[in-house]
Each structure stands twice: as structure tokens, then as C-alpha cells.
Amino acid sequence: STPLYSSAASDVYKRQGCDVPLEIIGEGPERAALEAQAKGVDSIRFTGRLDHEAAMKKVRDAAMLVFPSRWAEPFGLGVIEAMASGRPVIASNLGAPKELINNNVNGVLVRPDDSRDLADAVESILSERDRLVRMGNAARSEYEQRFQPESHVRDLVTLYESVCQTQ
């Protein structure tokens, strides 16, 4: 929601004593309200809609992906793509991100609509470079174990074998 981003960014700024850059990718009905709230804050930038390649470059160039959904995401492709890029993800503890993120291992799960929880998570990762790197490596490892074509084939074979054994 509109206040969530700005409140979390403000909390991190106050604690860190510097502007933490935030790029908001995409379009949506709340964009105008977000831009109005962020007016005058140089560290917040709105990219608008980007093609897949440009969006993935932004993710690869970022320290982390912040994905504070208010609704349960059914699949969480953005989370998986960030993990593929070796980026930890901070996401709401809802839907697919809840299943994809091993809390405090490859990312951090936060309460939905809780700007303080979101700010705490961002600050904790930014303030500990080793933790950021560890979580990024764990995110990439999780991606390789769960989402490579070979792992899908292996899981399908296991499923088919279990079905055949019960027949």
C-alpha cells in the first residue's frame, strides 16, 4: 500500500542515516499516489513497466528484492527470479512467497501491511554485508535445487514411480 513503502523507507533512512535507494518497478492503480507520497525523496525512483530483460537487470543490480504483497501471490515468479539471480527476498508472509522463502535463510518473511516489520527486515539485511551475501547464496542454491529443469524431471519421475507402485 502507499503508506507502507514510504513509512518503511523513512524508518530505514532514520536508522541508517542515509537514503536507501528504492526502485519501484511496474504500473498499477496506486502509482500516482505512491509518486505523490515520494515527491521530494531522491532515493525513490519509479521505473514504470519494464520488459522482462530490463526488469531482471534491475533485480541483478539490486541488493535484494522487496516484495511486500498485500494479497496471497499464487506462484511468486518474481520471487523465484530474484532467487535465480542470487538475491535474497523480503516478502509478505502470504501465499507462494511463504512457501518459497526459508525465513532468515534465503530471505525474510514479514507481516503484511506492517511497515515497521518491513523496515526492520530491510535494515537487518543492509546492515550485515555477510548476511546479505549468505542469504543471496542460499537463495541461488534453493533455486538450483527446486527450479532447474533437472529437478522438475526428478520430481516428476518420483511422482510417477510412487503412483505406479500404488497400482
Side-chain angles (χ1 to χ4, degrees):
S1 85
T2 303
L4 178 67
Y5 290 110
S6 59
S7 181
S10 175
D11 281 355
V12 172
Y13 172 75
K14 287 174 189 169
R15 294 180 207 171
Q16 294 283 325
C18 64
D19 281 332
V20 176
L22 171 65
E23 284 194 287
I24 299 175
I25 299 172
E27 294 289 337
E30 293 190 32
R31 181 173 177 173
L34 282 167
E35 285 179 326
Q37 187 143 7
K39 189 173 184 164
V41 181
D42 294 335
S43 61
I44 299 177
R45 184 169 168 260
F46 295 82
T47 67
R49 182 174 170 76
L50 298 176
D51 64 39
H52 185 260
E53 187 174 318
M56 289 310 303
K57 181 174 182 345
K58 293 283 187 190
V59 170
R60 286 189 303 272
D61 290 346
M64 69 189 82
L65 175 70
V66 179
F67 198 81
S69 290
R70 300 174 82 189
W71 298 276
E73 297 287 331
F75 184 67
L77 182 59
V79 172
I80 294 169
E81 289 175 329
M83 292 169 70
S85 296
R87 297 297 173 263
V89 179
I90 297 175
S92 297
N93 193 12
L94 297 169
K98 181 179 176 179
E99 303 302 319
L100 297 169
I101 296 169
N102 186 350
N103 198 30
N104 292 310
V105 175
N106 61 3
V108 177
L109 295 169
V110 298
R111 291 180 297 278
D113 279 333
D114 187 331
S115 64
R116 177 148 321 262
D117 202 23
L118 180 60
D120 288 347
V122 170
E123 182 184 26
S124 73
I125 292 175
L126 288 177
S127 66
E128 297 178 46
R129 177 80 178 143
D130 290 346
R131 182 175 183 219
L132 174 69
V133 170
R134 245 187 350 269
M135 290 177 112
N137 290 338
R140 176 64 191 181
S141 177
E142 182 78 11
Y143 168 79
E144 289 173 354
Q145 290 173 19
R146 292 179 63 185
F147 300 105
Q148 290 290 328
E150 297 81 13
S151 62
H152 280 292
V153 169
R154 183 187 66 239
D155 292 345
L156 281 173
V157 168
T158 301
L159 175 65
Y160 289 143
E161 287 173 345
S162 70
V163 169
C164 289
Q165 290 174 358
T166 61
Q167 298 297 317

